[in-house]
């Protein structure tokens, strides 16, 4: 190996800052909608196609741009309680009220939806649109409605719906509609609603017939079902069967109000026990990660384009950045702490330095699959590893504090110390990078260029 030495004209000064990690790893930031309106409660959150967050509250409709709230004035004939928000493919926002009224908002113009057949007298609970951009909306105790040919049609228990009290709707990729009711789940063909309606209820294994929320998982065949008393279950709609989840008879967290899957975690908004975060195991079972009980009632959850999770709780909209991050504190019996540097190699494997060691993690769908540890320096010397780099041959370059640099073969696990250069032989290495055949190593004694 030939080496060319390049020395800094000035001494490199290393300043080490001691950062004390916050005991609160998950960041939650509340945004108060109207400080002079303490009775305000959030009923529904919705993120539109442009990224704005809409809030349906007990006292009207608001839009949030990430900084401030704007109250959207509805006609004076409108009631105040907003219970449902949706959007169609033409970017029209649909707003449903506790009174049964419906309004549309397009190009900042608010219009009342007044079909000839009249509107329900019960609260509107959810909206979806079908492949023709036709509006479907659910009600509390009047079943389901859909609009076709400028008329609205009702689907109720008389047509085969499992129950007239409908909490939620979910449209599948095949344009089938999942309807959560007080009588389980109804399956409706949106392309031909007159076809027979089928059901999935307690007789099919559903632990609780009161289905309050249906949330899509990343797998288009599977949907999370949130129930009144038995927590969440995972339904495979292609096979019409439940997958293993939390212990159905041991659920103690009460009513599920909303859910969102974030990577390998399921976030659950509950009525009495705040926010639950549960890890989804590969086979579908759930284990509790943590609980945020400081908000006793969370009505709604959404995820934004950056991975942040937004919670609706009483009069506050709460932002959490924890949805974009997963904390890996331990793998099996190995604690992961005092990590000084990270490297994602060409095989998407994660190299890191737990304490003074070196380890490599392999993942399967974000789940840690296996970990291999490598011994590079004498463990009795407690040498810190400060830099990692993978060259074009797949070899790993390792920089240390006080013992210079090493080159590791990740397949054999054998390493070689770089001794050809006095600058880095026993130096304090700060960074290693390269391009093609060139490797650059910087440390407290200067910079070395390796060819």
């Amino acid at each position: 190996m030939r080496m060319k030495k390049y020395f800094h004209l000035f001494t490199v000064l290393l300043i080490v800052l001691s950062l004390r990690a916050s005991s609160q790893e998950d960041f939650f930031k509340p945004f108060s909608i109207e400080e002079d309106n303490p009775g305000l409660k959030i009923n529904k959150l919705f993120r539109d196609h442009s990224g704005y967050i809409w809030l349906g509250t007990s006292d009207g409709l608001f839009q949030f741009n990430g900084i401030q709230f704007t109250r959207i004035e509805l006609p004076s004939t409108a009631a105040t309680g907003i219970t449902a928000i949706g959007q169609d493919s033409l970017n029209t926002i649909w707003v449903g009220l506790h009174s049964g009224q419906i309004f549309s908002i397009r190009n900042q113009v608010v219009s009342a939806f007044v079909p000839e057949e009249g509107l329900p007298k019960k609260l509107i609970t959810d909206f979806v649109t079908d492949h023709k951009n036709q509006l479907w909306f659910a009600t509390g105790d009047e079943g389901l409605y859909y609009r076709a040919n400028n008329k609205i049609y009702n689907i109720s228990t008389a047509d085969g719906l499992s129950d007239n009290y409908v909490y939620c709707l979910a449209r599948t990729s095949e344009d089938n509609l999942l309807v959560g009711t007080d009588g389980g789940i109804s399956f409706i063909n949106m392309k031909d609603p007159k076809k027979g309606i089928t059901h999935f209820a307690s007789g099919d294994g559903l632990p609780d017939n009161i289905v309050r929320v249906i949330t899509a998982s990343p797998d288009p065949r599977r949907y999370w079902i949130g129930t009144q008393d038995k927590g969440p279950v995972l339904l495979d709609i292609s096979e019409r069967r439940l997958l293993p989840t939390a212990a159905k008879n041991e659920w103690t967290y009460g009513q599920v109000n909303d859910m969102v899957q974030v990577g390998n975690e399921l976030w659950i908004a509950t009525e009495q026990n705040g926010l639950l975060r549960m890890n989804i195991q590969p086979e579908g079972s759930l284990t509790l990660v943590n609980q945020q009980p400081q908000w006793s009632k969370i009505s709604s959850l959404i995820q934004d384009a950056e991975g942040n999770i937004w919670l609706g709780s009483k009069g506050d909209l709460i932002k959490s950045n924890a949805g974009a991050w997963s904390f890996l504190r331990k793998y099996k019996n190995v604690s992961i702490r005092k990590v000084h540097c990270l490297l994602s190699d060409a095989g998407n494997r994660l190299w890191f330095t737990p304490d003074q060691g070196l380890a490599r993690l392999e993942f399967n769908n974000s789940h840690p699959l296996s970990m291999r540890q490598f011994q590079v320096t004498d463990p009795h010397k407690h040498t810190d590893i400060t830099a990692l780099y993978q060259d074009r041959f797949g070899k790993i370059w390792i920089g240390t504090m006080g013992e210079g640099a090493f080159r590791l073969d990740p397949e054999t696990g054998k390493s070689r110390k770089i001794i050809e250069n006095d600058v880095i032989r026993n130096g304090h290495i700060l960074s290693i990078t390269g391009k093609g055949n060139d490797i650059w190593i910087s440390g407290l004694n200067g910079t070395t260029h390796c060819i």
Side-chain angles (χ1 to χ4, degrees), residues 71-93:
R71 179 183 279 272
I72 306 300
E73 298 294 341
L74 299 181
S76 58
T77 56
T80 56
I82 309 295
T83 52
I85 307 173
Q87 185 176 23
D88 62 26
S89 61
L90 300 178
N91 294 323
T92 300
I93 298 293

Side-chain angles (χ1 to χ4, degrees), residues 74-211:
L74 299 181
S76 58
T77 56
T80 56
I82 309 295
T83 52
I85 307 173
Q87 185 176 23
D88 62 26
S89 61
L90 300 178
N91 294 323
T92 300
I93 298 293
W94 293 91
V95 180
L97 280 65
H98 194 278
S99 62
Q101 295 170 288
I102 296 176
F103 294 88
S104 64
I105 304 172
R106 182 168 175 79
N107 298 327
Q108 300 182 336
V109 177
V110 180
S111 303
F113 178 54
V114 188
E116 283 185 26
E117 297 78 13
L119 286 171
K121 303 301 181 183
K122 301 293 184 178
L123 77 158
I124 310 299
T125 57
D126 208 354
F127 292 103
V128 295
T129 56
D130 61 20
H131 65 293
K132 295 180 180 178
N133 199 41
Q134 295 178 151
L135 185 69
W136 293 66
F137 54 94
T139 73
D141 216 27
E142 287 191 29
L144 177 67
Y145 288 83
Y146 69 97
R147 185 177 64 171
N149 302 319
N150 294 320
K151 294 183 178 180
I152 63 170
Y153 300 87
N154 177 239
I155 298 176
S156 67
T157 52
D159 305 293
L161 195 66
S162 56
D163 195 275
N164 282 336
Y165 203 107
V166 180
Y167 293 97
C168 55
L169 305 172
R171 173 185 170 184
T172 72
S173 57
E174 290 81 17
D175 226 37
N176 289 320
L177 188 64
L178 305 183
V179 184
T181 76
D182 268 345
I185 302 169
S186 292
F187 295 79
I188 299 177
N189 186 319
M190 300 177 80
K191 295 179 180 179
D192 188 358
K194 294 183 180 179
K195 284 187 176 180
I197 300 173
T198 58
H199 307 294
F200 189 91
S202 57
D204 305 293
L206 192 65
D208 183 356
N209 273 342
I210 302 178
V211 175

Side-chain angles (χ1 to χ4, degrees), residues 1 3 19 28 95 117 153 180 223 264 275 310 320 400 430:
M1 179 186 297
M3 295 189 176
L19 299 178
F28 290 88
V95 180
E117 297 78 13
Y153 300 87
Y223 286 78
N264 63 343
L275 174 68
W310 297 82
S320 171
T400 71
L430 303 179

Side-chain angles (χ1 to χ4, degrees), residues 237 275 447:
I237 62 172
L275 174 68
T447 300

Side-chain angles (χ1 to χ4, degrees), residues 264-284:
N264 63 343
E265 286 189 357
L266 184 66
W267 289 46
I268 306 169
T270 71
E271 183 77 7
Q272 295 91 12
N273 288 282
L275 174 68
L276 307 176
R277 289 175 56 188
M278 291 197 164
N279 187 266
I280 307 168
Q281 301 300 322
E283 76 280 5

